[in-house]
Amino acid sequence: MTKERNNILAAIDRPTFIIYLLLLVIGWFNIYSASYDYSPGSWLDFAQHRTATMQLIWVGVSLLLALVITLMDSSYYSQLAYFIYGGIILLLIVTIFIAPDTKGSHSWLYIGPVAIQPAEFGKFATSLAVAKMISEESFKLDNLRDYARIVMLILLPIGIIILQQETGSALVYFSFVLVLYRRGLPGIIPSLGAAAILLFIIVIKYSGVPFLMGDSGEVGVMLAMTIVYIIALCLLLVYRKDSRMASILLGCYVGAMSLAILIDQLFVAMPLTTLTIVFTAIAGIFLIGWGMATHHDTYAFIGIFVLGGIVFCLFADYFFEHVLQNYQQMRLKVAFGMEDDPRGVGYNVNQSKIAIGSGGLWGKGFLHGTQTKLKYVPEQATDFIFCTVGEEYGFIGCLVVILLYVALLMRLITLAERQRHLFAQVYGYCIVGIILFHLLVNIGMVLGLTPVIGIPLPFLSYGGSSMVSFTLLIWIFLRLNANELRSYTRE
């Protein structure tokens, strides 16, 4: 038994383990620096620096958890995947009703002095369940029933977490699209998802902005409708290779809109926004009818996309105004450049930019960041920890941290591709998607490139739930990989 355990420990992937440890160390030093004050006493006086001390405890808990996962039988993770998922879903539902209001959300459970966020643990539980479902022999992603099952599996925690008023944590679950794409999801689906984000931004950003010099049309909806139309034409060319139909539809749209704009500018005001929607809807209805008449479903699907795009664009403005909270609206407005709120919602981002910019090439040095020490950036030890890296270690420090994350992601992809068991491979790509999403959104948020949605930077941000969650994600996969490596050796 001892020999077998030693073999398992030896089979743990060393590059991933080293990167994991480096990120833990870098994270702790930056958390210590972000929470440090100039009170009398030694910088090693951990009783005085509670945040750094608590993070050190969580690091110890995570390392102990990693050891326990390593020594467990790897078959448990597949066998218990649905039970773990069901347990976490139940915990998420209970959290809605018993969690106190914490900064507007009901997502934190308090056990004595310890605060736990169940949404963080939902990521590893959903990863296990997704890997389990996809690895079933009968599962086929091109089967509508199986596709609906996997989508519902992912959407369920998203809906529950949104009910907790924790939108940022819910958005992370959309990273599972990467896994589905790897397993054969048509590229058109994530592409349409990206198009939906673009349309939402355009509709919101340019809502109420008049077209040209008159008040007869709004740039937002008109531009969005034009993009929907162009995408439909591209789909015709790619999936039907019908350049004739695309040319006719393009000519009709350009001609009709040009005539309407000419009349609006020279003679009488025209309802250009309404006309744009009508022209686009006519094209969609025509494509559906043409598909039914010719028995080519592709035309009908493109037509349905056009009508769906119209509904989405019209609903986007309603969703923004009546569904999102005021602070969420303001965050998006600041991110989209619609508002400048340097003392309110935009304060964090502006101060973060100042902190990172002041670091220059090499940074100011450990414990010498003025923005950090004077607490100009709220939440600097958690969501905005990256600005501490930028201020104290400069561009070089930021580059080193980013390269470590890139190395981690590349190593995880390499290990995932080596797996002979589908469960381990899918689980590996789940981890890649989750970490990549956190990395892009968190660093983008700190730099003002993405909205502030409050998600941590893996292994660097302060927080026990985040630390334990990412440790679970990484080490379960390393255990699965170790078992794979041992099976290679035995052969």
Side-chain angles (χ1 to χ4, degrees), residues 159-313:
I160 298 172
I161 294 171
I162 288 176
L163 291 177
Q164 297 176 357
Q165 298 296 321
E166 193 65 36
T167 308
S169 297
L171 291 176
V172 175
Y173 288 77
F174 286 105
S175 63
F176 288 105
V177 172
L178 175 66
V179 181
L180 301 182
Y181 177 71
R182 176 63 181 82
R183 296 308 310 164
L185 183 73
I188 184 62
I189 294 180
S191 298
L192 291 179
I197 295 174
L198 175 63
L199 291 174
F200 179 81
I201 294 174
I202 289 174
V203 171
I204 300 306
K205 182 175 176 62
Y206 298 104
S207 177
V209 178
F211 181 73
L212 297 178
M213 299 300 293
D215 296 325
S216 50
E218 293 183 2
V219 172
V221 175
M222 292 181 67
L223 185 57
M225 290 298 100
T226 303
I227 291 175
V228 169
Y229 206 94
I230 292 173
I231 293 175
L233 298 181
C234 292
L235 293 175
L236 277 174
L237 294 174
V238 172
Y239 290 99
R240 289 300 312 171
K241 300 189 181 347
D242 193 341
S243 57
R244 182 169 176 269
M245 175 71 75
S247 299
I248 292 173
L249 290 177
L250 178 62
C252 291
Y253 186 80
V254 171
M257 284 304 302
S258 298
L259 181 60
I261 293 172
L262 184 64
I263 293 174
D264 175 78
Q265 295 297 303
L266 296 180
F267 301 105
V268 63
M270 299 286 287
L272 295 179
T273 300
T274 303
L275 289 175
T276 306
I277 296 172
V278 170
F279 293 153
T280 307
I282 290 173
I285 295 170
F286 171 77
L287 286 170
I288 293 174
W290 185 260
M292 296 174 64
T294 59
H295 303 288
H296 291 302
D297 293 339
T298 308
Y299 289 109
F301 285 136
I302 296 174
I304 292 172
F305 159 75
V306 172
L307 297 182
I310 295 172
V311 173
F312 175 82
C313 291

Side-chain angles (χ1 to χ4, degrees), residues 111-185:
I111 305 173
V114 179
I116 298 175
Q117 188 177 27
E120 288 292 328
F121 301 107
K123 289 180 285 193
F124 98 90
T126 306
S127 298
L128 288 173
V130 167
K132 177 67 174 179
M133 184 174 289
I134 292 179
S135 62
E136 294 173 357
E137 290 186 9
S138 60
F139 183 88
K140 302 292 181 185
L141 198 56
D142 55 0
N143 181 287
L144 184 59
R145 178 176 173 274
D146 289 339
Y147 182 74
R149 287 173 60 210
I150 196 71
V151 169
M152 287 304 299
L153 189 75
I154 296 171
L155 289 181
L156 181 58
I158 292 177
I160 298 172
I161 294 171
I162 288 176
L163 291 177
Q164 297 176 357
Q165 298 296 321
E166 193 65 36
T167 308
S169 297
L171 291 176
V172 175
Y173 288 77
F174 286 105
S175 63
F176 288 105
V177 172
L178 175 66
V179 181
L180 301 182
Y181 177 71
R182 176 63 181 82
R183 296 308 310 164
L185 183 73

Side-chain angles (χ1 to χ4, degrees), residues 4 122 180 406 474:
E4 184 178 351
L180 301 182
V406 171
I474 292 285

